[in-house]
């Protein structure tokens, strides 16, 4: 059988990783797919890997439209990033009857509902394994491997750059900005690294994961998103003293009232496997009613790990080329006309435990005032840690861990605590997840 011709958009880190993996393992990949897979044309403004492209016989153009309109091309791989031209090119490829493979999490999170609807009408596939957690085959695991489960919750470290920064801060006491610069140099960070450190990239990925886990439409705009820029070395140290690690988590949880969708730093018990996922590695913990908890771990960013996921999608698409569209795995795991209209909970209604750091004047009655406010709002304390006072300022840090509390109650407690004359700085709060059940 003749090889399948593939067009590629984008030859940056992931584009070059894909070219390298596909060329190096071409024979094995053909044995898996049932026929050869060849990138015949690629469009890029900057080509990071010209020698590999030449060795692979890829024609290079600057014009992405030449790729999506090429009559020889059966599958378009979109690795250009962004949501403007990328959306236009993907929709054009679909309109031309081509299948699409993309690593673009922002594109899927923001425009996936539209893209999947067009693909469904046209009878083509859109595969997006590489959009979430780099090389970890998490979409396949949730969409197919866990298809028998009623999924209860999932928690993931799904931004490698953020995890790298938190790990280096904890282990080596390095400064935030310096570690971020290194992540950029290593090609882990997004073009705009605020997407990494403010949680936007993780929110894109969480949007996609929640949809395939719960069978709900993609709803990026409803994800609560908080970054890691306010995490200090002191908080990292206190968390360690209390037996926890601070991780930047994406959490999606089914509750009787709706779905929680949230990205924020969280303390997690140091003994959990997820707490020991360090550096640029990603991991996703998923709890289903039948299987219990399962954990998926691997490289969340980088050229070849992400290329690995892109090529796996290519193989899947090639294998299904002759399948009736009705018999393919649905884009969001559930049949398109069977998605659930579950409400997404506002943050005030979400229940979690909390780490609170208060800077207080070290004098009698201060703790009593604070615990009275918490008690009046039914907030129960799990642990307290008070540091020695600074003799010059007579101030001390008090760290409190609470039991689970409705976020709305905690907001009220914090505003009352901050109004006390003895509390000298805004209260730091970090959510705490036990990840037990
Ligand atoms: N900037 C992303 C990360 C790349 O650091 O995880 C992979 O999506």
């Amino acid at each position: 059988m003749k090889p399948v011709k593939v067009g590629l958009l984008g030859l940056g880190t992931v584009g070059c990783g894909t070219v390298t993996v596909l060329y190096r393992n071409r024979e094995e990949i053909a044995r898996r797919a049932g026929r050869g897979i060849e990138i015949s044309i690629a469009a890029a403004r900057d080509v990071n890997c010209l020698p590999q492209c030449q060795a692979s016989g890829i024609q290079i153009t600057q014009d992405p439209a030449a790729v999506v309109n090429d009559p020889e091309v059966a599958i378009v791989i979109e690795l250009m990033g962004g949501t403007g031209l990328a959306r236009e090119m993907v929709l054009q490829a679909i309109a031309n009857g081509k299948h699409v493979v993309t690593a673009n999490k922002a594109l899927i999170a923001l425009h996936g509902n539209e893209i999947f609807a067009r693909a469904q009408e046209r009878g083509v596939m859109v595969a997006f394994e590489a959009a979430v957690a780099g090389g970890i085959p998490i979409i396949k695991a949730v969409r197919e491997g866990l298809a028998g489960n009623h999924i209860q919750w999932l928690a993931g470290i799904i931004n490698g750059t953020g995890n790298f920064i938190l790990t280096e801060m904890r282990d080596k006491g390095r400064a935030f900005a310096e570690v971020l610069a290194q992540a950029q140099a290593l090609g882990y960070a997004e073009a705009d690294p605020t997407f990494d450190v403010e949680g936007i990239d993780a929110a894109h990925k969480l949007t996609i994961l929640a949809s395939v886990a719960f069978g709900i439409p993609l709803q990026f705009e409803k994800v609560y998103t908080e970054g890691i820029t306010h995490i200090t070395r002191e908080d990292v140290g206190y968390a360690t003293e209390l037996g926890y690690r601070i991780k930047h988590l994406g959490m999606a949880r089914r509750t009787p009232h709706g779905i929680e969708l949230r990205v924020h730093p969280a303390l997690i018990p140091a003994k959990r496997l997820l707490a020991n996922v360090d550096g640029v590695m990603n991991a996703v913990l998923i709890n289903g009613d039948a299987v219990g908890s399962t954990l998926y771990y691997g490289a969340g960013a980088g050229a070849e790990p992400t290329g690995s996921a892109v090529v796996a999608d290519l193989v899947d698409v090639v294998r299904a080329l002759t399948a009736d569209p009705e018999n393919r795995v649905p884009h969001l795991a559930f049949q398109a006309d069977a998605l659930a209209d579950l409400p997404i909970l506002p943050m005030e209604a979400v229940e979690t435990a909390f780490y609170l750091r208060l800077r207080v004047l070290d004098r009698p009655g201060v703790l009593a005032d604070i615990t009275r406010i918490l008690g009046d709002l039914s907030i129960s304390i799990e642990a307290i840690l008070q540091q020695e006072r600074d003799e010059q300022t007579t101030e001390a840090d008090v760290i409190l861990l609470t039991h689970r509390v409705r976020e709305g109650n905690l907001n009220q407690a914090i505003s009352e605590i901050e109004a006390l004359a003895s509390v000298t700085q805004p209260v730091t709060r970090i959510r705490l997840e036990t990840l037990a059940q």
Side-chain angles (χ1 to χ4, degrees):
M1 207 183 286
K2 285 207 314 206
V4 180
K5 298 241 188 270
V6 175
L8 175 59
L9 301 173
L11 279 165
T13 303
V14 180
C16 289
T18 300
V19 169
T20 305
V21 173
L22 194 58
Y23 186 68
R24 188 175 66 226
N25 297 340
R26 60 194 177 283
E27 280 157 23
E28 205 158 346
I29 289 165
R31 282 170 53 215
R32 288 193 159 111
R35 57 197 285 201
I37 302 175
E38 275 178 22
I39 299 177
S40 54
I41 181 167
R45 264 177 312 179
D46 302 307
V47 182
N48 289 6
C49 50
L50 197 56
Q52 285 109 305
C53 291
Q54 285 165 341
S56 307
I58 301 171
Q59 179 199 335
I60 308 278
T61 168
Q62 295 242 326
D63 178 15
V67 173
V68 298
N69 294 326
D70 184 331
E72 296 272 290
V73 163
I75 305 169
V76 170
I77 309 177
E78 184 279 304
L79 304 175
M80 61 204 299
T83 53
L85 186 59
R87 171 178 165 273
E88 207 183 298
M89 289 299 110
V90 163
L91 290 175
Q92 184 61 44
I94 291 169
N96 289 343
K98 300 185 193 308
H99 305 280
V100 173
V101 172
T102 179
N104 191 332
K105 50 257 161 150
L107 180 70
I108 297 297
L110 270 64
H111 301 293
N113 296 323
E114 175 193 25
I115 288 169
F116 297 147
R118 295 290 92 76
Q120 180 105 352
E121 287 160 16
R122 201 66 180 77
V124 296
M125 293 170 266
V126 178
F128 50 93
E129 181 66 71
V132 183
I136 307 174
I138 191 67
I139 299 297
K140 198 167 193 71
V142 180
R143 203 163 58 171
E144 299 174 52
L146 300 181
N149 285 263
H150 182 69
I151 293 176
Q152 316 277 17
W153 56 265
L154 62 89
I157 295 172
I158 45 180
N159 181 267
T161 301
N163 200 41
F164 181 59
I165 293 171
L166 289 176
T167 305
E168 293 286 304
M169 280 172 74
R170 186 196 69 213
D171 290 353
K172 302 185 189 151
R174 292 177 68 194
F176 188 100
E178 177 198 317
V179 190
L180 174 59
Q182 190 187 350
Q184 287 178 283
L186 291 168
Y188 301 150
E190 295 303 296
D192 174 356
T194 57
F195 275 47
D196 296 294
V197 297
E198 296 299 352
I200 301 160
D201 176 75
H204 288 146
K205 295 165 180 167
L206 184 73
T207 301
I208 300 171
L209 275 179
S211 286
V212 295
F214 304 131
I216 55 175
L218 296 150
Q219 296 166 79
F220 169 72
E221 69 289 351
K222 296 195 183 149
V223 181
Y224 171 80
T225 305
E226 187 183 305
I228 55 169
T229 48
H230 63 290
I231 300 295
T232 64
R233 278 189 248 175
E234 286 73 29
D235 292 320
V236 171
Y238 293 143
T240 306
E241 235 176 283
L242 289 158
Y244 294 83
R245 299 265 167 86
I246 299 180
K247 291 291 178 190
H248 200 194
L249 283 192
M251 290 278 317
R253 186 190 296 275
R254 194 192 285 278
T255 79
H257 313 291
I259 302 282
E260 296 175 7
L261 281 183
R262 48 196 171 91
V263 170
H264 51 71
L267 272 73
I268 53 181
K271 64 182 180 204
R272 295 261 177 269
L273 287 172
L274 205 60
N276 295 285
V277 172
D278 287 335
V280 74
M281 302 308 273
N282 278 195
V284 184
L285 179 61
I286 304 187
N287 184 276
D289 65 337
V291 73
S293 288
T294 56
L295 179 68
Y296 309 84
Y297 169 85
E304 291 203 21
T306 314
S308 158
V310 171
V311 174
D313 270 350
L314 268 181
V315 171
D316 255 2
V317 170
V318 170
R319 282 175 178 152
L321 278 177
T322 51
D324 180 337
E326 303 304 315
N327 295 329
R328 294 178 185 146
V329 180
H331 290 114
L332 291 180
F334 293 68
Q335 299 297 334
D337 59 1
L339 294 182
D341 186 21
L342 295 171
I344 308 299
L345 288 182
M347 247 351 238
E348 293 69 34
V350 166
E351 276 190 15
T352 59
F354 280 88
Y355 158 102
L356 303 176
R357 176 165 55 82
L358 292 72
R359 190 82 177 153
V360 299
L361 293 174
D362 187 20
R363 63 185 188 203
V366 172
L367 265 184
D369 288 341
I370 292 165
T371 52
R372 180 188 42 78
I373 291 171
L374 293 172
D376 287 352
L377 286 156
S378 311
I379 300 170
S380 153
I381 297 169
E382 156 104 22
I384 284 194
L385 178 71
Q386 177 165 357
Q387 294 304 109
E388 277 179 28
R389 76 177 190 177
D390 177 328
E391 287 307 334
Q392 278 183 344
T393 61
T394 70
E395 291 177 356
D397 277 342
V398 173
I399 317 300
L400 299 172
L401 301 186
T402 75
H403 286 287
R404 282 166 67 85
V405 48
R406 205 169 179 274
E407 179 123 352
N409 285 27
L410 191 93
N411 292 342
Q412 173 68 28
I414 286 181
S415 57
E416 290 183 26
I417 288 170
E418 285 178 344
L420 294 172
S422 51
V423 174
T424 61
Q425 286 177 19
V427 174
T428 293
R429 74 163 90 186
I430 307 175
R431 294 171 191 84
L432 186 156
E433 297 288 344
T434 59
L435 304 176
Q437 262 312 315

